[in-house]
């Protein structure tokens, strides 16, 4: 015999594993009162229905015993199952009542035959009365009597329950009865329903459906044909209008383009004339050679490189002579036009210097630079006071600094003159963003050809200019 120490869940597990009837009887005896009283409350005191619900709940418990966890509260499971069982019972009861009422209505309709004289009296006014009872009741009556639908089918069609459909039909019949009374005709709702059922049973000519269908399709074809013809006419007119508008647009566009072209041609001619005049003036200024200036006496300071509009001067009083060839007076040249031309003469050394700076070829640019510990032939001063660099390494550092800080995309040599062992070059640089700056550079002939003598501004900061 089960002990009181065993829980309901333990007893259910024992029943599920061994089929012990004693264990299940103990669970029922402990919880039958809880289930029955809950069912009575929910069923409004219907004790017979509560007994049926109680029996259904414990039958379900016996089937689900193996699925209930050991730590579950069986009383809570039974309480919830009782609520579901009561709800299921009430739904079944409502469906049974609806079926009984429907059967009662049909019996009443069949038990009250309608005489021909009675029907002939109200028949002419039947459609007006049905229309006057309201849309909800009218729809229900038409589906129920004129189409022979059941209450459940009427409810499904109207989106309501079968019981609600029955109530709508009853209200509609009552409204029809009241309408007949106003016309001096007394009848019951059941008799009116019987009349409607008889009217719906009136035979329809068998060939009528076929002839109606054929006529409907014939009319539809005629309508479609007319629509197609009308659409064709409209599209033709639309297309004609589009063509006319297109032609007009083409003509107007052509006239406008010709006028615009004529205006542009006149403006281009004026710009070319202005550009030619400006180019001639620049060429005249760039080719003019400035008068020689006296060389400063030894010991005086050399003009600083920062003043880029002034050109360095020769180391003696010989008049500067123009050096032809190379890049001079060839206009703006892209860096792709430059090459390593060597250092045999001034024009070649200038192109090699610019080619090394543009690409940048640091080694080539360094080989084109002249830095010496000896005195400068112009100023008479030493160019470098070495800190940690030799002249060769100073040339590399200086070339690297120049290549990084002074990039350009185009270059033109404005002036190229020489006097003795020195040459003086005036160069204009144009950057990628359109800025233009000008520099003057001095070249000096060495045992390794012509080389550029950087100014103090170009020298690397790792040395100290004297």
């Amino acid at each position: 015999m089960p002990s009181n120490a065993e829980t309901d869940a333990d007893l259910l597990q024992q029943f599920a594993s061994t089929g012990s009837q004693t264990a299940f009887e103990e669970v029922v005896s402990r919880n039958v009162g809880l289930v029955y009283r809950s069912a009575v409350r929910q069923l409004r005191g219907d004790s017979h229905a509560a007994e049926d619900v109680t029996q259904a709940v414990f039958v379900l418990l016996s089937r689900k015993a193996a699925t209930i966890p050991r730590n579950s509260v069986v009383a809570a499971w039974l309480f919830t199952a009782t609520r579901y069982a009561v709800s299921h019972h009430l739904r079944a009861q409502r469906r049974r009542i609806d079926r009984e009422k429907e059967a009662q209505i049909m019996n009443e309709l069949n038990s009250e035959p309608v005489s021909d004289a009675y029907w002939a009296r109200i028949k002419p006014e039947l459609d007006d009365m049905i229309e006057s009872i309201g849309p909800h009741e009218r729809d229900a009556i038409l589906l129920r009597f004129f189409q022979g639908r059941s209450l459940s089918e009427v409810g499904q069609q109207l989106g309501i329950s079968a019981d609600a459909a029955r109530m709508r039909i009853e209200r509609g019949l009552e409204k029809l009865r009241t309408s007949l009374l106003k016309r001096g005709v007394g009848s019951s709702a059941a008799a009116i329903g019987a009349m409607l059922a008889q009217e719906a049973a009136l035979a329809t000519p068998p060939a009528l459906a076929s002839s109606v269908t054929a006529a409907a399709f014939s009319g539809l074809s005629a309508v479609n044909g007319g629509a197609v013809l009308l659409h064709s006419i409209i599209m033709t007119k639309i297309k004609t209008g589009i063509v006319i508008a297109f032609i007009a647009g083409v003509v107007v566009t052509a006239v406008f383009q010709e006028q615009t072209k004529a205006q542009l041609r006149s403006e281009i001619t004026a710009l070319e004339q202005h550009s030619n005049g400006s180019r001639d003036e620049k060429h005249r200024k760039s080719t003019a050679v400035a008068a020689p200036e006296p060389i400063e006496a030894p010991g005086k300071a050399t003009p600083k490189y920062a003043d880029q509009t002034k050109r360095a001067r020769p180391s003696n009083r010989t008049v500067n002579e123009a050096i032809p060839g190379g890049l001079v007076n060839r206009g703006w040249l892209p860096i792709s036009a430059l090459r390593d031309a060597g250092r045999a003469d001034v024009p070649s050394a200038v192109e090699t210097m610019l080619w090394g700076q543009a690409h940048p070829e640091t080694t080539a640019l360094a080989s084109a630079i002249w830095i010496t510990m000896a005195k400068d032939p112009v100023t008479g001063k030493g160019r470098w006071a070495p800190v940690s660099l030799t002249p060769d390494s100073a040339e590399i550092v200086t070339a690297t600094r120049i290549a990084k800080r002074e990039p350009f995309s185009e270059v033109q040599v404005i002036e190229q003159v020489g006097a003795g062992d020195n040459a003086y070059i005036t160069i204009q640089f144009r950057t990628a963003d359109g800025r233009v700056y000008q520099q003057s550079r001095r070249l000096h002939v060495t045992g390794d050809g012509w080389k550029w003598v950087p100014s103090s501004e170009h020298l690397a900061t790792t040395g100290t200019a004297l």
Side-chain angles (χ1 to χ4, degrees):
M1 181 175 181
S3 63
N4 293 330
E6 292 180 299
T7 64
D8 293 338
D10 294 334
L11 295 173
L12 279 181
Q13 291 295 326
Q14 183 179 351
F15 168 73
S17 59
T18 64
S20 173
Q21 184 176 354
T22 304
F24 189 77
E25 289 177 351
E26 179 66 18
V27 173
V28 172
S29 63
R30 291 181 183 182
N31 297 280
V32 65
L34 180 151
V35 174
Y36 175 76
R37 287 188 293 272
S38 176
V40 169
R41 289 193 300 271
Q42 296 178 60
L43 293 171
R44 305 293 189 272
D46 190 345
S47 58
H48 296 291
E51 292 179 4
D52 295 338
V53 168
T54 302
Q55 182 177 357
V57 168
F58 281 102
V59 169
L60 181 63
L61 178 64
S62 66
R63 295 175 181 174
K64 298 289 185 179
T67 63
I68 298 176
R70 184 179 295 273
N71 59 349
S72 299
V73 178
V74 177
W77 189 95
L78 291 170
F79 180 78
T80 303
T82 302
R83 295 184 66 249
Y84 284 125
V86 169
S87 177
H88 178 75
H89 175 82
L90 292 175
R91 286 197 302 270
Q93 187 179 35
R94 283 194 294 269
R95 287 194 296 268
R96 183 176 63 254
I97 293 173
D98 290 339
R99 287 194 296 270
E100 292 174 354
K101 288 183 178 180
E102 183 176 358
Q104 181 182 359
I105 292 174
M106 295 304 299
N107 290 333
E108 291 178 357
L109 293 177
N110 294 329
S111 63
E112 295 189 22
V114 181
S115 64
D116 293 339
Y118 183 80
W119 174 245
R121 184 176 179 182
I122 65 174
K123 186 175 181 179
E125 301 181 11
L126 179 62
D127 294 286
D128 291 338
M129 289 188 295
I130 293 176
E131 182 64 27
S132 65
I133 63 176
H136 297 298
E137 292 78 8
R138 178 199 62 200
D139 295 345
I141 285 178
L142 291 176
L143 291 173
R144 180 71 177 92
F145 296 105
F146 288 85
Q147 289 193 345
R149 304 285 184 88
S150 64
L151 289 177
S152 60
E153 292 174 339
V154 173
Q156 184 178 5
Q157 180 72 26
L158 299 179
I160 57 178
S161 64
D163 189 48
R166 177 185 58 77
M167 294 178 64
R168 284 191 185 184
I169 293 171
E170 291 178 354
R171 286 197 303 268
L173 293 175
E174 183 63 26
K175 288 181 179 180
L176 288 177
R177 188 187 69 81
T178 304
S179 181
L180 286 174
L181 284 176
K182 292 180 180 179
R183 289 170 171 79
V185 179
S187 179
S188 65
I192 296 173
M195 287 189 301
L196 296 178
Q198 291 178 7
E199 178 64 14
L202 179 64
T204 304
L208 181 60
S210 300
S211 62
V212 168
T213 303
F217 274 99
S218 176
L220 181 60
S221 300
V223 170
N224 288 340
V228 170
L229 178 61
L230 179 61
H231 180 268
S232 176
I233 294 173
I234 293 174
M235 291 305 298
T236 301
K237 291 183 177 294
I238 291 175
K239 291 178 180 178
T240 303
I242 291 175
V243 171
I244 294 174
F246 175 76
I247 294 174
V250 170
V251 172
V252 172
T253 303
V255 173
F256 177 76
Q257 287 180 348
E258 287 299 325
Q259 293 177 350
T260 304
K261 287 180 180 179
Q263 183 179 358
L264 288 175
R265 281 195 293 268
S266 62
E267 292 179 356
I268 290 172
T269 301
L271 287 173
E272 287 179 347
Q273 294 174 354
H274 178 73
S275 177
N276 290 335
S278 299
R279 191 184 303 112
D280 294 341
E281 179 66 20
K282 289 182 178 180
H283 180 71
R284 184 185 61 81
K285 291 181 178 180
S286 65
T287 55
V289 179
E293 295 182 7
I295 302 300
E296 296 180 1
K300 291 188 178 179
T302 303
K304 289 186 178 181
Y305 176 80
D307 185 5
Q308 296 178 349
T309 62
K310 293 184 179 181
R311 189 174 67 254
R313 295 302 172 186
S315 58
N316 52 49
R317 298 184 182 275
T318 305
V319 177
N320 294 342
E321 296 179 358
I323 301 175
L327 307 180
V328 68
N329 295 329
R330 287 176 55 182
W332 287 103
L333 297 175
I335 59 176
S336 59
L338 302 175
R339 63 187 179 89
D340 184 358
R343 294 184 301 278
D345 52 28
V346 172
S348 299
V350 170
E351 185 170 0
T352 300
M353 171 187 66
L354 295 174
W355 170 78
Q357 181 179 348
H359 281 81
E361 289 289 342
T362 304
T363 304
L365 180 58
S367 66
I369 294 175
W370 182 66
I371 298 176
T372 178
M373 298 300 179
K375 291 184 178 181
D376 186 277
V378 176
T379 63
K381 293 184 177 182
R383 296 296 295 168
W384 270 89
V387 176
S388 60
L389 299 176
T390 65
D392 292 339
S393 59
E395 291 166 358
I396 291 292
V397 173
T398 301
T400 303
R401 180 170 180 261
I402 293 171
K404 288 183 177 179
R405 294 194 178 184
E406 298 183 8
F408 62 94
S409 59
E410 292 180 294
V411 66
Q412 66 174 345
V413 180
I414 302 299
E415 188 178 32
Q416 188 171 268
V417 298
D421 295 338
N422 297 288
Y424 307 92
I425 316 300
T426 304
I427 309 171
Q428 285 187 345
F429 299 89
R430 178 182 289 165
T431 61
D433 57 359
R435 294 184 296 106
V436 176
Y437 62 93
Q438 180 173 307
Q439 290 183 359
S440 294
R441 296 185 178 181
R442 179 164 68 91
L443 275 68
H444 180 72
V445 63
T446 67
D448 193 21
W450 288 87
K451 291 190 176 185
W452 172 28
V453 183
S455 64
S456 59
E457 283 76 15
H458 281 120
L459 294 176
T461 55
T462 50
T464 303
L466 297 178

